[in-house]
Structures are given as C-alpha cells and as structure tokens.
Amino acid sequence: QVQLVESGGGLVQPGGSLRLSCAASGFTFSSYAMSWFRQAPGKEREFVAGASSSGGVTKYADSVKGRFTISRDNAKNTVFLQMNSLKPEDTAVYYCARSRIVGVLTTMTMYDQWGQGTQVTVSS
C-alpha cells in the first residue's frame, strides 16, 4: 500500500535550519508531483512547497520563498524540504503529500495520499 513517512522535524532556534525528508513507497514515485503542507495550531493546513514529478518545476508559498527549498531524489523515492532562516511562525506540523496529477497545485483536495506529519518548532 501507499506509504509516506516524514522525518527530520524537531526544535530549532530562530534563524536555524532543518531538513525534512519524506520516504515514499507502494507506488511509482517518479510519476507523481509531491508537495509539503503545514498546519499550525488553530489554523488550516496550508501549502508550503511542491515539486513536479521530475523535480524540474517547483512552487513555493510566498511566506517561504527564498528560505525553503524542495527537492526530490527519484532513485531513492524521497522528497526533501530544506528550511533555512526559520522563524517562530514556521512552527507547525509538516506533511508531505502525493498529488493526483502530474503538476504542482496548491489545493489540498488535489492530493490523495498524506504522511503522518512531523513537528517543527521554532523557538528560543
């Protein structure tokens, strides 16, 4: 069955960095766009970053542009999110998700498989 397993979350000080990983299994990873979403307490889940099936096209939320980088290794069935210059407002549970289509869309309903999430806390 399809599995998405995130890792790499933790507690980091403002200005610090983290690298999240999402290991995929149970499907042809290289055929699907993949994205990261996040959900802060009391807020709706929101799009963070996405990569097309080849990784050649990426998209970012305005709030993370220039600080976060999404990448993927199709040989290892893994998608990454490098997060730099972290801010307290980046605190959230981060989820990876598989797109229903080849392209990168920001709408949650366009994603059909989700990981369990990994907590990122930015605090001094």
Side-chain angles (χ1 to χ4, degrees):
Q1 71 278 22
V2 173
Q3 280 196 315
L4 300 173
V5 180
E6 301 98 334
S7 61
L11 173 64
V12 64
Q13 292 187 341
S17 298
L18 281 175
R19 189 192 196 205
L20 306 183
S21 300
C22 173
S25 61
F27 64 101
T28 305
F29 181 73
S30 59
S31 295
Y32 293 84
M34 298 292 296
S35 291
W36 289 93
F37 287 75
R38 67 186 180 186
Q39 187 166 18
K43 295 188 176 181
E44 293 186 352
R45 194 170 298 188
E46 63 176 1
F47 174 83
V48 175
S52 63
S53 56
S54 68
V57 177
T58 57
K59 185 177 293 185
Y60 297 91
D62 288 343
S63 59
V64 307
K65 278 181 183 176
R67 300 187 299 122
F68 291 11
T69 302
I70 187 171
S71 62
R72 60 190 294 164
D73 184 340
N74 284 350
K76 296 183 178 180
N77 292 351
T78 304
V79 60
F80 304 97
L81 185 67
Q82 177 66 44
M83 305 186 295
N84 299 328
S85 303
L86 282 161
K87 305 175 181 180
E89 51 264 43
D90 294 318
T91 295
V93 177
Y94 284 71
Y95 300 89
C96 71
R98 185 185 80 171
S99 176
R100 297 179 188 272
I101 64 171
V102 173
V104 180
L105 296 179
T106 63
T107 308
M108 279 183 57
T109 55
M110 297 308 297
Y111 293 82
D112 62 354
Q113 298 290 335
W114 296 81
Q116 83 289 348
T118 185
Q119 176 71 47
V120 171
T121 303
V122 185
S123 175
S124 55

